[in-house]
Structures are given as structure tokens and as C-alpha cells.
Amino acid sequence: MGLAPVTRAAGLAPALAPAPATARVRWWRAPWLAVGGSMFAIAWGGNEFTPLLVMYRDVSNFSAVTVDLLLGAYVIGIVPALLVGGPLSDRYGRRPLLLPAAPLSLVGSLVLASFAQSVLALSLGRVLCGTALGLVMAVGTTWIAELSVDDPDPGAGARRASLALTLGFLVGAGVAGALAQWGPLPTATAYLVHVALTVGTGAWLLRAPETRPASTPRARGSLRGDLRVPSVAHRRFRRVVVPLAPWVFGCVGSAYAVLPGLMRSHAGGLPIAFSALLTVLTLGCGVGIQVLGRAIDTHRSARASVIALVIIVAGMALGALAARELTLTLAFAAAAVLGMGYGLALVAGLNEVQRIAGPDDRAGLTAVYYSFAYLGFFIPAVLAVLARRWTYPEMFGAGVVIALGCLAVVASGWRAHLPAQESRETLVGAENRCATSRSVREDHRP
């Protein structure tokens, strides 16, 4: 499953053949931008709900547990779409699997705009938006990587995909919060803006060149076989990527789902705008550190993952202080640091996946990684349930301890099981076996 070897023999679309050195494509015509635009719009739809959690508590009289469960509900759509979308796109092509994402996201926003008082309808809308987001994350990330193959920077594809998602999360939350606080029809306007955006970017996606033409029925294996992801068993994936992944969205969930609720009475009478501001600050810091990710990440060690977890430990500690003191300064500081932890953890995990995965299961391993990452979105709901027994400062403190444990595990795998190192060792071992075989044959010559 996943990224096909980038040659014509492997089925690369003719449109992606390397261009002559003299032909330069202007950046705004780059083929990957059409896919990135769709990822941006659907990520917008996935996160526009977040700053409105405070609004639903006030307007719809939902409890903290209910709104946090609604926040995590779209994971129910994301995970299946991730795990199935990647393998199916390997069989049938990237375009057929990504094109349905825009209509699903559009319908989800219309449901959310129409039924602000219904928990069931809001849950359905969130699941539809989540399904769309799962498709763009599994298929879009791989498609952008394939469309970026001619870039001299091997990490360009992962970085472009993560930036498209993060910018969509950021702008969607900021616009939704502003419209809900000051615009007309606070429970509907933000979603209708997203509908218009989705129509435009969905049409733009039609121009993106296919990179994985559908395989012929004779060439296809069983679907069950395609759903297998052999790289999941790679020791570096289990030792470095899995301990880091849940913190990706655990960070942002803590920053812009938990802290705004705690600070409602300290938000100067503008709780929705304050929630949007925390969301934008969190994701803005995530974007900022992703730009530096190229300098931090290296294929020679787990440096980026370790630094991300160090930042996350600091962010959880600041979260504990903010939850205890309830001051704006500490809330902003915690959101900023947790945002940096999110941004670096996301791009570090994606780069590790690109290095670990084989050419036929890159989309599948990307999907598994995102599935682990999205488990973190249930953290706000878990904390809301546990708040009946423990205080939020105590739970953030427990988060510090757990993050330190994950840091120790990841640091212990600093250079362990590096894919490049294992490939060299395999090659050296094969050469040694060949040399030994030749020596034995020569010794037995008459």
C-alpha cells in the first residue's frame, strides 16, 4: 500500500515525468497545491467546531462532557476513513478516493449549521466531517508526497501536507470564532462560509494530476491483503512513533478545548472570541515550528521527536500552572508551548513514517500513524469525566509524568533500528554471505 515507486514502470502518471531543467513551473501552478487546497478546506471544516464549544455550552446548554465528546466524535469518522482510504487509493487511484471528501465535508457543515440544539445531529455532522478529514489525511498526504517527488528536499511532501492541514485548522477556527462572536446567526454562519470554500477547492482538485492509476483487475491482490501494513511491525515505528503520536492532538486538545472552558469567567465577556484566539495561537505556533522542522529533523536520529516531547512536557507543566492560577498570561503561554509541541510532533512523526514505510504501504502506515495521533482528541472528554474526582492542575501534572515516560522511551530509541542503517546492514550481510559462498566454492575446487 501507499506511495508507488516514482518511475513510469511503476505506473507514475505521464504528467509527472521530470520536467526539463529549463522548464520552471511557477509556484502557484504547482500540481500539489490543488491537493493542498482541498486539504486546507477540509481541515478548516474539521476544526471550525472547536472554538464554538463554549458557545454550545451557553446557547444549547450542553455539559462540558457533552461538548468534549462532540469534539472527539469526528474521530469515529476519521479512523475508518484513514485505515481504508489509503489501501483503496492504492488499488483505484488517489483521485477517486479524495474527490468524495469535499461533498462529505460540505454535508457535514450543513448538518451542523441546521441543528444546533440536537446532540445526535451534531454528532452526525462531526462524523461526516471526520470521514472527509480522514480521507484527505490518508490519501491527500500521500498524493502531495508523490507530487513533490521532484523537489530536492526529501521532506518537502510531508512538510507541505502538514502545513496545509495546520493552516486549515488554524484559519477555520479563527474565522469560525470571530463569526460566532460578532457575526449574524452565530450557530450557522461559520459553517455556511465553509460550504462555499469547500465547493471552490473541490472544483480545483479536479485539476490535480493522478499519480497512482488504478491497477488492472488481474494485477490486484486481495483487498484483505492490501489492508495489511507490514511496516507497523517495524521496531522503530513502535519505539519512536507510537509513544509520540497521541501527543500530537493531545496537545492541541488540551490547549484549545480544556483551557478555554477553565477560563470562561476570565475572558472579558468574550468567551467565544477568547477560545478562537487560544486556538489560533496554538496552531500558529504549530505552523511556526513546522517551518523550522527541516532544520530540526534528521534521518540519523530521533532528535525531532525528542525535542517535541521536551516541549510537550514544558507545555503540560504550564497547563497545570494555568489551570491553578487562571491567569491570561499563563493560559496564553501554555497554549503557545503546547502548539509548538503539536507542530513539531506532527512533522517529526510524518517524517519517521516516510523513512520507515516501504513503497507499497506508505499510505497505510501514514493512516495508522494518524489513527494513533487522533486518540489524543479524546483527552478533553476523559479529563472532563475525571474532573469529578481530580482537579485540572492535578491532571495536567499527571500529563507531565506520562509525557516524561514517553520521552524516556523515545530517547532510548535515539539511533535504534534506523531504516537506512538496517538497509546498510542487510546489504553488508548479503555481501558477506556472497563472499563466504565464493570462498567455500574456491576451497572445494580440485
Side-chain angles (χ1 to χ4, degrees):
M1 288 180 295
L3 197 61
V6 188
T7 63
R8 286 182 181 268
L12 184 64
L16 293 181
T22 55
R24 286 189 178 180
V25 178
R26 288 182 170 86
W27 68 266
W28 61 86
R29 293 181 181 174
W32 69 267
L33 275 174
V35 183
S38 192
M39 293 183 73
F40 170 85
I42 292 168
W44 174 312
N47 206 42
E48 63 186 342
F49 187 85
T50 304
L52 309 185
L53 296 177
V54 174
M55 179 191 73
Y56 285 113
R57 290 183 66 176
D58 293 336
V59 173
S60 304
N61 296 315
F62 294 154
S63 69
V65 174
T66 299
V67 296
D68 287 337
L69 285 173
L70 286 171
L71 175 67
Y74 82 146
V75 177
I76 297 170
I78 287 173
V79 173
L82 279 169
L83 297 178
V84 177
L88 288 180
S89 76
D90 290 335
R91 290 172 70 91
Y92 302 112
R94 308 302 180 210
R95 184 194 304 273
L97 268 294
L98 198 57
L99 286 179
L104 285 170
S105 185
L106 184 152
V107 172
S109 279
L110 288 176
V111 172
L112 292 170
S114 304
F115 301 99
Q117 303 295 330
S118 170
V119 173
L120 182 61
L122 291 174
S123 299
L124 175 62
R126 291 291 288 159
V127 170
L128 288 171
C129 290
T131 303
L133 186 58
L135 288 175
V136 301
M137 293 178 85
V139 182
T141 298
T142 305
W143 200 355
I144 284 181
E146 291 170 342
L147 290 170
S148 303
V149 70
D150 288 332
D151 195 289
D153 176 11
R159 191 169 60 255
R160 287 166 177 168
S162 63
L163 280 171
L165 286 170
T166 303
L167 285 171
F169 292 148
L170 186 158
V171 179
V175 172
L179 290 173
Q181 184 70 67
W182 294 294
L185 301 173
T187 61
T189 304
Y191 299 118
L192 297 178
V193 170
H194 172 251
V195 166
L197 176 68
T198 304
V199 170
T201 55
W204 188 17
L205 182 63
L206 294 172
R207 301 183 61 182
E210 180 61 85
T211 57
R212 181 88 174 194
S215 56
T216 62
R218 181 176 296 181
R220 292 173 192 161
S222 67
L223 179 59
R224 183 177 179 181
D226 282 351
L227 290 172
R228 295 194 185 103
V229 185
S231 297
V232 168
H234 196 286
R235 287 174 291 182
R236 187 163 183 84
F237 182 79
R238 291 181 293 178
R239 192 167 172 180
V240 174
V241 178
V242 171
L244 174 68
W247 290 104
V248 172
F249 293 111
C251 282
V252 291
S254 300
Y256 56 55
V258 175
L259 290 177
L262 296 176
M263 298 292 297
R264 283 172 71 195
S265 59
H266 302 268
L270 300 171
I272 302 172
F274 176 75
S275 179
L277 180 59
L278 273 188
T279 305
V280 169
L281 175 63
T282 301
L283 295 172
C285 290
V287 170
I289 202 164
Q290 282 177 18
V291 173
L292 300 175
R294 181 178 178 181
I296 299 171
D297 186 69
T298 173
H299 67 277
R300 293 186 293 271
S301 71
R303 181 172 66 191
S305 300
V306 167
I307 293 174
L309 279 165
V310 170
I311 295 171
I312 289 167
V313 169
M316 296 302 286
L318 283 169
L321 287 172
R324 188 184 69 184
E325 302 296 332
L326 297 178
T327 65
L328 293 177
T329 302
L330 284 172
F332 287 136
V337 176
L338 287 168
M340 288 189 287
Y342 149 79
L344 187 55
L346 177 61
V347 77
L350 283 173
N351 281 329
E352 288 282 358
V353 165
Q354 297 297 313
R355 290 190 285 264
I356 292 169
D360 291 328
D361 67 351
R362 191 162 291 146
L365 194 63
T366 300
V368 174
Y369 164 67
Y370 276 131
S371 299
F372 277 112
Y374 265 103
L375 292 176
F377 250 121
F378 286 111
I379 287 178
V382 171
L383 295 183
V385 172
L386 295 178
R388 298 166 184 169
R389 181 168 182 178
W390 291 288
T391 66
Y392 275 96
E394 290 172 339
M395 291 187 288
F396 271 106
V400 171
V401 175
I402 297 170
L404 283 170
C406 293
L407 173 60
V409 172
V410 172
S412 70
W414 183 259
R415 285 195 172 93
H417 315 302
L418 290 169
Q421 178 182 327
E422 290 184 349
S423 298
R424 285 195 300 271
E425 290 173 353
T426 300
L427 180 61
V428 170
E431 291 174 346
N432 289 339
R433 285 193 295 273
C434 289
T436 302
S437 177
R438 285 196 301 270
S439 177
V440 169
R441 287 199 301 271
E442 289 172 357
D443 289 345
H444 284 80
R445 285 180 181 173

